Amino acid sequence: MIIELGHFALVLAFALSVVSAIVGFTFRGSSAQVTLFLRHAALLQFLLVGAAFAALVQAFVVSDFSLALAYQHSHSLQPLLYKVTSVWGNHEGSMLLWVLILVLFGAAVAAFGRPLPFDLLALVLAMQGLMVAAFAGFTLFTSNPFMRMVPAPFEGEDLNPVLQDIGLAIHPPLLYMGYVGFSICFSFAIAALISGRIDAAWARWVRPWTLISWTFLTLGIAMGSYWAYYELGWGGWWFWDPVENASFMPWLAGTALLHSAIVMEKRNALKIWTVFLAIITFSLSLLGTFLVRSGILTSVHTFASDPTRGMVILTMLGLFIGGAFTLFAMRANALRAGGLFHPLSREGALVLNNLFLATATGAVLVGTLYPLVLDALTGQAISVGAPFFDLTFSALMVPLLILLPFGPFLAWKRGDLVGIVQRLAGAAALALFCAILVAALSGASISLAPLGLLLGFWVMFGAIAELVEKARFGRLPIGQSFRRLFGLPRTAYSTTLAHFGMGVTVIGIVAASAWEMERVVAMNPGDTQTLAGYTIGFEGLTEEPGPNFAAEHGTFAITAPGGGTRQAIAERRVYVASGQPTTEAAIETYGFSQVYIQLGEVAANGSHVVRLWYKPYVTLIWLGCVLMALAGFISLSYRRMRVAAPTPSRRKTVPAE
Amino acid sequence: MVFWTLAIAMTVCASAALYYASARRTVNASSAASAAPAMTAHLRLQLAEIEADLKAGRLDEAQAVAARAELAREVLRVEAESAPAVSLKGGRSVVALSSLGAAVLAFAVYAGVGQPNLPAQPLAQRPTLPAQMTMDEAVARIEAELERNPQDVRGWRAVAPAYMQMGRAPDAARAFRRILELAPVTADAEIDLAEALMVAQNGSFAGEPLELLTSAATRDPTNTRALYYLAGEATTAGRFAEAAERWQTLIDSAQGSENWLPAARQGLEAAITARDGMGADAGAVQQRVADLAARLETSGGTVAEWAQLVRSYLVLNDRSAAITAYQQAMLDHPDAGERIELDRLAADSGLLSAETRP
């Protein structure tokens, strides 16, 4: 009965969202009571979908196989954690998780939105209601997680072994928080277009939602990348897989949105562009979640799809995205353009940042969709792989990263480039020194790697230089400088930290790509190999039964160049219910570098194919992302409203009062 | 009944909460009719920040004056365009109707999709399986059931594999044929029948089984079982060129860990050896290999092509060339995930002892 009550709760939430959308758009400006109704309806939707989700989790936990979804995707022998995560390790359950997060954000707007003008709030909540209605409706009518089975089977078919990992507990919820959070920005953008009103207060409301979504999306993508790295078994951390691209595009667009929202909040400029970006970002989020479920793309992330479901998804995407752009085209002229600024100013730098990020988004979009379009039109199958993305994407990112440290130094409205170059010279020299030092220590031959390192260090030190400059170190007495440093607003620290994190990630990417070492060998117990100074001995094989799988453990002893031996266990598993094999790599971290061992197939003579990697500084890739996300949280915790003072022009300013 | 009581209670609570929370008479400060108050409040906040920054020395006097001037212009603009107040009538009836509408819609939809009478069946509370019934007894029970209702596809689906397991191939063939008649035809269903017929014919695919397999392969060109059987059939029938092609397609479709892979590899090798031994003399074979090597060296190729080159060198007994080819392949495909097939070949033929990353 609990399952059916959960089912009913979902239906009730759907009904509330339908009514909310209708009432909200029809009576939006006419009554404060309608807005109150919409707010409470949003809160109730969250409670109801939460109850539905809890009912589903409960059915998985007690292995109630009269629930078809539990039968198809779980097993009674799974550990409790994986029984819970199995709920969203499939299409239907993950749709419900998506809807749950959507109503969570809707409820958050309803709860925190009291100070908003009520007609604006009504429009935002009506738009959220429309989305909940569409996606909860899609869930209920085409992918219902509450389908039952009569008679109930006695054992489930188990979850895909690759997904039976802690990563499934973390990656999808974080990613969905990011994707869905942008729906709020989208709703605000639509509300601004319909009401024809947009001002700095609007930007003030949009920025925290952008920040939250961007932060979670950053964490979600980084976690997904690390999960792929350790689970898929060959230590790749980014594959330009269509679905990865699909999550990366909203990130790029969201990063642009984050920066343009700053300009809008502080300087009341770039308004129409910000609205446009908000629409683009959420459209790309929708594309990210749903393109993969439409059956058009295939990848690691593809769930079983059927054609009708695909058509419904495409129609919905078309309506939301197409509708938003049509509205934009019709109404953008009605919005008042914002303040003016000199091209060489903080605003100008942020426009440049937006330009590069938007172009990079476009490049990734083309690379992802072009093969599909070509296939659909001409039937010719081509694959656009890593070389295309590496080339086009880095061609766009390198200039962006070179310019990055200049941005925060420029003053609002008009800036002074010569002065900034002087002030950044120190950071540049330090970056050059570090790049040469690290390249020399690594003993690398002539390649592009040192230039990549230079870029990474330049971004890192440029970020720190900004703090040094703001505190006026060297120009004020040291004690006073420190007082200035601690007096800086938290947003200054978060800017520095985020840019610093970007540099860290760049260094990780460069080092891991340029200096990775790999060896494939056939090993018998007792054999020893050396790789990059590490001695890796294969000690033996043991059979270890797991809860719902049988595993073969290969024990390895890794001796570091500096001495000290560690034991590492690489596994091969075969899952009972599905008979599917997986490998679990042995990963040992030394400083920022990792030794990665994968126990492969048994060769004809009984030895094992073992793949060994040495990945220098690879953890910096994710560490940098964590720093960026941390910066997001710091900035979120700072809710004061600081005005960016313009630099007055040389002629005497006349006070307006 | 309990379910409906709870569902109605849930709906009534939700609707009542919505109505009473929304239809209150109080119109608090947040419900101002236009954007102006919120906007001026926002601007006032900004003004306070400017003063604070000025006091803390983050702004100098000139900057503060400029910032204040900008704010003042914004205040004037907002005041000029503030919207006229809007009527607040009619809200209560809209709220009441909406609350009611949501409840009605919920029951209508749930009546369509729900299964309210189905109880929960958590595993721990379910009766255990009917005590260890033997296969014969189980089959006998299903047969009796099918006697009464021969249209029951599920029964046939249950009994057919059991027949196969018990070695009753003709019975299995009868059951699989029945499934084909009753259910929509799928490649797998055709292969099942072909398999049963083949066993019944003592391992020969001649006649109907071959037709079924060909039909299955056209129906689903990626079906590994169809590919496997067709490749095996071509090998035994002596059509080695076709067999080699089919084995290669099959191996290319593999993930790397399937249990039929070793057999498929042996099949491919046997087919290639037989094909090349029959048709051409050794010189022509060497020429073909050299052509392939030249092409792969200049413009690269797929993992399967590289594997073919390495395999050819091994067949020609040229170990050092095989090792060189393997090393070139690793440069062409640095991603070990793609290379599983090739690495496996290298391991099996002992090429891995060499330094692998040149």
Side-chain angles (χ1 to χ4, degrees), chain B residues 132-144 159 162-163 165-168:
Chain B
Q132 309 315 321
M133 201 190 285
T134 66
M135 181 94 113
D136 288 329
E137 284 166 4
V139 168
R141 267 178 65 169
I142 303 172
E143 277 173 338
V159 83
Y163 283 142
Q165 224 172 328
M166 295 157 81
R168 292 161 61 179

PDB file of all heavy atoms in Angstrom, chain B residues 132-144 159 162-163 165-168:
ATOM      1  N   GLN B 132      11.349 -27.209  -2.930  1.00  0.00           N
ATOM      2  CA  GLN B 132      12.166 -27.875  -3.941  1.00  0.00           C
ATOM      3  C   GLN B 132      11.446 -28.863  -4.854  1.00  0.00           C
ATOM      4  O   GLN B 132      11.555 -30.064  -4.724  1.00  0.00           O
ATOM      5  CB  GLN B 132      13.329 -28.603  -3.224  1.00  0.00           C
ATOM      6  CG  GLN B 132      14.109 -27.736  -2.261  1.00  0.00           C
ATOM      7  CD  GLN B 132      14.444 -26.372  -2.833  1.00  0.00           C
ATOM      8  OE1 GLN B 132      14.777 -26.261  -4.013  1.00  0.00           O
ATOM      9  NE2 GLN B 132      14.346 -25.337  -2.021  1.00  0.00           N
ATOM     10  N   MET B 133      10.727 -28.323  -5.806  1.00  0.00           N
ATOM     11  CA  MET B 133      10.057 -29.177  -6.775  1.00  0.00           C
ATOM     12  C   MET B 133      11.097 -29.665  -7.779  1.00  0.00           C
ATOM     13  O   MET B 133      11.998 -28.913  -8.127  1.00  0.00           O
ATOM     14  CB  MET B 133       9.004 -28.340  -7.486  1.00  0.00           C
ATOM     15  CG  MET B 133       7.904 -29.116  -8.151  1.00  0.00           C
ATOM     16  SD  MET B 133       6.947 -27.989  -9.166  1.00  0.00           S
ATOM     17  CE  MET B 133       6.022 -27.126  -7.947  1.00  0.00           C
ATOM     18  N   THR B 134      11.018 -30.903  -8.225  1.00  0.00           N
ATOM     19  CA  THR B 134      12.002 -31.342  -9.221  1.00  0.00           C
ATOM     20  C   THR B 134      11.614 -30.784 -10.581  1.00  0.00           C
ATOM     21  O   THR B 134      10.477 -30.364 -10.815  1.00  0.00           O
ATOM     22  CB  THR B 134      12.066 -32.881  -9.328  1.00  0.00           C
ATOM     23  OG1 THR B 134      10.808 -33.308  -9.859  1.00  0.00           O
ATOM     24  CG2 THR B 134      12.337 -33.528  -8.000  1.00  0.00           C
ATOM     25  N   MET B 135      12.593 -30.787 -11.483  1.00  0.00           N
ATOM     26  CA  MET B 135      12.361 -30.273 -12.819  1.00  0.00           C
ATOM     27  C   MET B 135      11.227 -31.034 -13.496  1.00  0.00           C
ATOM     28  O   MET B 135      10.342 -30.432 -14.107  1.00  0.00           O
ATOM     29  CB  MET B 135      13.653 -30.427 -13.627  1.00  0.00           C
ATOM     30  CG  MET B 135      13.535 -29.901 -15.021  1.00  0.00           C
ATOM     31  SD  MET B 135      14.101 -28.225 -15.117  1.00  0.00           S
ATOM     32  CE  MET B 135      15.533 -28.413 -16.120  1.00  0.00           C
ATOM     33  N   ASP B 136      11.246 -32.372 -13.363  1.00  0.00           N
ATOM     34  CA  ASP B 136      10.223 -33.187 -14.020  1.00  0.00           C
ATOM     35  C   ASP B 136       8.831 -32.810 -13.538  1.00  0.00           C
ATOM     36  O   ASP B 136       7.909 -32.641 -14.335  1.00  0.00           O
ATOM     37  CB  ASP B 136      10.482 -34.679 -13.749  1.00  0.00           C
ATOM     38  CG  ASP B 136      11.694 -35.168 -14.521  1.00  0.00           C
ATOM     39  OD1 ASP B 136      11.942 -34.619 -15.617  1.00  0.00           O
ATOM     40  OD2 ASP B 136      12.406 -36.062 -14.020  1.00  0.00           O
ATOM     41  N   GLU B 137       8.698 -32.653 -12.205  1.00  0.00           N
ATOM     42  CA  GLU B 137       7.391 -32.305 -11.650  1.00  0.00           C
ATOM     43  C   GLU B 137       6.929 -30.957 -12.171  1.00  0.00           C
ATOM     44  O   GLU B 137       5.775 -30.783 -12.573  1.00  0.00           O
ATOM     45  CB  GLU B 137       7.462 -32.249 -10.117  1.00  0.00           C
ATOM     46  CG  GLU B 137       7.503 -33.612  -9.460  1.00  0.00           C
ATOM     47  CD  GLU B 137       7.905 -33.510  -8.000  1.00  0.00           C
ATOM     48  OE1 GLU B 137       8.078 -32.370  -7.505  1.00  0.00           O
ATOM     49  OE2 GLU B 137       8.056 -34.542  -7.365  1.00  0.00           O
ATOM     50  N   ALA B 138       7.904 -29.984 -12.183  1.00  0.00           N
ATOM     51  CA  ALA B 138       7.547 -28.636 -12.630  1.00  0.00           C
ATOM     52  C   ALA B 138       7.084 -28.663 -14.076  1.00  0.00           C
ATOM     53  O   ALA B 138       6.045 -28.085 -14.428  1.00  0.00           O
ATOM     54  CB  ALA B 138       8.751 -27.708 -12.475  1.00  0.00           C
ATOM     55  N   VAL B 139       7.867 -29.367 -14.918  1.00  0.00           N
ATOM     56  CA  VAL B 139       7.510 -29.447 -16.334  1.00  0.00           C
ATOM     57  C   VAL B 139       6.141 -30.107 -16.490  1.00  0.00           C
ATOM     58  O   VAL B 139       5.291 -29.644 -17.260  1.00  0.00           O
ATOM     59  CB  VAL B 139       8.592 -30.215 -17.122  1.00  0.00           C
ATOM     60  CG1 VAL B 139       8.093 -30.561 -18.516  1.00  0.00           C
ATOM     61  CG2 VAL B 139       9.854 -29.389 -17.209  1.00  0.00           C
ATOM     62  N   ALA B 140       5.908 -31.169 -15.708  1.00  0.00           N
ATOM     63  CA  ALA B 140       4.632 -31.867 -15.801  1.00  0.00           C
ATOM     64  C   ALA B 140       3.480 -30.936 -15.463  1.00  0.00           C
ATOM     65  O   ALA B 140       2.432 -30.937 -16.118  1.00  0.00           O
ATOM     66  CB  ALA B 140       4.628 -33.081 -14.860  1.00  0.00           C
ATOM     67  N   ARG B 141       3.695 -30.105 -14.445  1.00  0.00           N
ATOM     68  CA  ARG B 141       2.623 -29.188 -14.053  1.00  0.00           C
ATOM     69  C   ARG B 141       2.329 -28.180 -15.153  1.00  0.00           C
ATOM     70  O   ARG B 141       1.177 -27.876 -15.459  1.00  0.00           O
ATOM     71  CB  ARG B 141       3.010 -28.446 -12.765  1.00  0.00           C
ATOM     72  CG  ARG B 141       2.499 -29.161 -11.540  1.00  0.00           C
ATOM     73  CD  ARG B 141       2.910 -28.473 -10.293  1.00  0.00           C
ATOM     74  NE  ARG B 141       2.311 -27.136 -10.162  1.00  0.00           N
ATOM     75  CZ  ARG B 141       2.374 -26.442  -9.031  1.00  0.00           C
ATOM     76  NH1 ARG B 141       2.987 -26.962  -7.981  1.00  0.00           N
ATOM     77  NH2 ARG B 141       1.833 -25.261  -8.957  1.00  0.00           N
ATOM     78  N   ILE B 142       3.422 -27.628 -15.769  1.00  0.00           N
ATOM     79  CA  ILE B 142       3.209 -26.645 -16.837  1.00  0.00           C
ATOM     80  C   ILE B 142       2.530 -27.313 -18.027  1.00  0.00           C
ATOM     81  O   ILE B 142       1.626 -26.740 -18.657  1.00  0.00           O
ATOM     82  CB  ILE B 142       4.538 -25.996 -17.265  1.00  0.00           C
ATOM     83  CG1 ILE B 142       5.201 -25.357 -16.056  1.00  0.00           C
ATOM     84  CG2 ILE B 142       4.297 -24.957 -18.333  1.00  0.00           C
ATOM     85  CD1 ILE B 142       6.601 -24.855 -16.320  1.00  0.00           C
ATOM     86  N   GLU B 143       2.956 -28.570 -18.335  1.00  0.00           N
ATOM     87  CA  GLU B 143       2.349 -29.276 -19.471  1.00  0.00           C
ATOM     88  C   GLU B 143       0.849 -29.431 -19.264  1.00  0.00           C
ATOM     89  O   GLU B 143       0.068 -29.210 -20.196  1.00  0.00           O
ATOM     90  CB  GLU B 143       3.007 -30.653 -19.639  1.00  0.00           C
ATOM     91  CG  GLU B 143       4.303 -30.585 -20.433  1.00  0.00           C
ATOM     92  CD  GLU B 143       5.045 -31.909 -20.445  1.00  0.00           C
ATOM     93  OE1 GLU B 143       4.808 -32.741 -19.540  1.00  0.00           O
ATOM     94  OE2 GLU B 143       5.879 -32.096 -21.349  1.00  0.00           O
ATOM     95  N   ALA B 144       0.469 -29.799 -18.018  1.00  0.00           N
ATOM     96  CA  ALA B 144      -0.954 -29.964 -17.725  1.00  0.00           C
ATOM     97  C   ALA B 144      -1.688 -28.648 -17.940  1.00  0.00           C
ATOM     98  O   ALA B 144      -2.785 -28.604 -18.511  1.00  0.00           O
ATOM     99  CB  ALA B 144      -1.129 -30.446 -16.277  1.00  0.00           C
ATOM    100  N   VAL B 159       8.475 -23.679 -20.509  1.00  0.00           N
ATOM    101  CA  VAL B 159       8.732 -25.101 -20.676  1.00  0.00           C
ATOM    102  C   VAL B 159       9.800 -25.371 -21.751  1.00  0.00           C
ATOM    103  O   VAL B 159      10.547 -26.338 -21.664  1.00  0.00           O
ATOM    104  CB  VAL B 159       7.390 -25.824 -20.973  1.00  0.00           C
ATOM    105  CG1 VAL B 159       7.021 -25.723 -22.445  1.00  0.00           C
ATOM    106  CG2 VAL B 159       7.447 -27.272 -20.517  1.00  0.00           C
ATOM    107  N   ALA B 162      13.375 -25.617 -20.561  1.00  0.00           N
ATOM    108  CA  ALA B 162      13.461 -26.788 -19.688  1.00  0.00           C
ATOM    109  C   ALA B 162      13.608 -28.061 -20.532  1.00  0.00           C
ATOM    110  O   ALA B 162      14.423 -28.940 -20.224  1.00  0.00           O
ATOM    111  CB  ALA B 162      12.220 -26.871 -18.805  1.00  0.00           C
ATOM    112  N   TYR B 163      12.829 -28.158 -21.621  1.00  0.00           N
ATOM    113  CA  TYR B 163      12.974 -29.301 -22.542  1.00  0.00           C
ATOM    114  C   TYR B 163      14.403 -29.402 -23.046  1.00  0.00           C
ATOM    115  O   TYR B 163      14.994 -30.470 -23.082  1.00  0.00           O
ATOM    116  CB  TYR B 163      12.036 -29.131 -23.746  1.00  0.00           C
ATOM    117  CG  TYR B 163      10.575 -29.454 -23.489  1.00  0.00           C
ATOM    118  CD1 TYR B 163       9.575 -28.700 -24.076  1.00  0.00           C
ATOM    119  CD2 TYR B 163      10.222 -30.538 -22.679  1.00  0.00           C
ATOM    120  CE1 TYR B 163       8.240 -28.981 -23.876  1.00  0.00           C
ATOM    121  CE2 TYR B 163       8.880 -30.834 -22.474  1.00  0.00           C
ATOM    122  CZ  TYR B 163       7.885 -30.045 -23.053  1.00  0.00           C
ATOM    123  OH  TYR B 163       6.577 -30.345 -22.856  1.00  0.00           O
ATOM    124  N   GLN B 165      17.094 -28.324 -21.706  1.00  0.00           N
ATOM    125  CA  GLN B 165      17.990 -28.726 -20.628  1.00  0.00           C
ATOM    126  C   GLN B 165      17.871 -30.225 -20.354  1.00  0.00           C
ATOM    127  O   GLN B 165      18.834 -30.876 -20.011  1.00  0.00           O
ATOM    128  CB  GLN B 165      17.616 -27.939 -19.373  1.00  0.00           C
ATOM    129  CG  GLN B 165      18.819 -27.394 -18.641  1.00  0.00           C
ATOM    130  CD  GLN B 165      18.369 -26.459 -17.538  1.00  0.00           C
ATOM    131  OE1 GLN B 165      17.337 -25.772 -17.663  1.00  0.00           O
ATOM    132  NE2 GLN B 165      19.113 -26.429 -16.462  1.00  0.00           N
ATOM    133  N   MET B 166      16.645 -30.747 -20.541  1.00  0.00           N
ATOM    134  CA  MET B 166      16.423 -32.162 -20.269  1.00  0.00           C
ATOM    135  C   MET B 166      16.797 -33.025 -21.468  1.00  0.00           C
ATOM    136  O   MET B 166      16.640 -34.250 -21.426  1.00  0.00           O
ATOM    137  CB  MET B 166      14.949 -32.400 -19.912  1.00  0.00           C
ATOM    138  CG  MET B 166      14.534 -31.728 -18.620  1.00  0.00           C
ATOM    139  SD  MET B 166      12.759 -31.440 -18.538  1.00  0.00           S
ATOM    140  CE  MET B 166      12.179 -33.057 -18.048  1.00  0.00           C
ATOM    141  N   GLY B 167      17.259 -32.374 -22.555  1.00  0.00           N
ATOM    142  CA  GLY B 167      17.665 -33.144 -23.735  1.00  0.00           C
ATOM    143  C   GLY B 167      16.508 -33.580 -24.600  1.00  0.00           C
ATOM    144  O   GLY B 167      16.669 -34.440 -25.467  1.00  0.00           O
ATOM    145  N   ARG B 168      15.311 -32.994 -24.387  1.00  0.00           N
ATOM    146  CA  ARG B 168      14.167 -33.364 -25.233  1.00  0.00           C
ATOM    147  C   ARG B 168      14.049 -32.360 -26.371  1.00  0.00           C
ATOM    148  O   ARG B 168      13.100 -31.567 -26.433  1.00  0.00           O
ATOM    149  CB  ARG B 168      12.897 -33.394 -24.385  1.00  0.00           C
ATOM    150  CG  ARG B 168      12.902 -34.527 -23.359  1.00  0.00           C
ATOM    151  CD  ARG B 168      11.911 -34.299 -22.252  1.00  0.00           C
ATOM    152  NE  ARG B 168      10.526 -34.225 -22.727  1.00  0.00           N
ATOM    153  CZ  ARG B 168       9.478 -34.042 -21.924  1.00  0.00           C
ATOM    154  NH1 ARG B 168       9.687 -33.911 -20.622  1.00  0.00           N
ATOM    155  NH2 ARG B 168       8.262 -33.988 -22.417  1.00  0.00           N
TER     156      ARG B 168
END
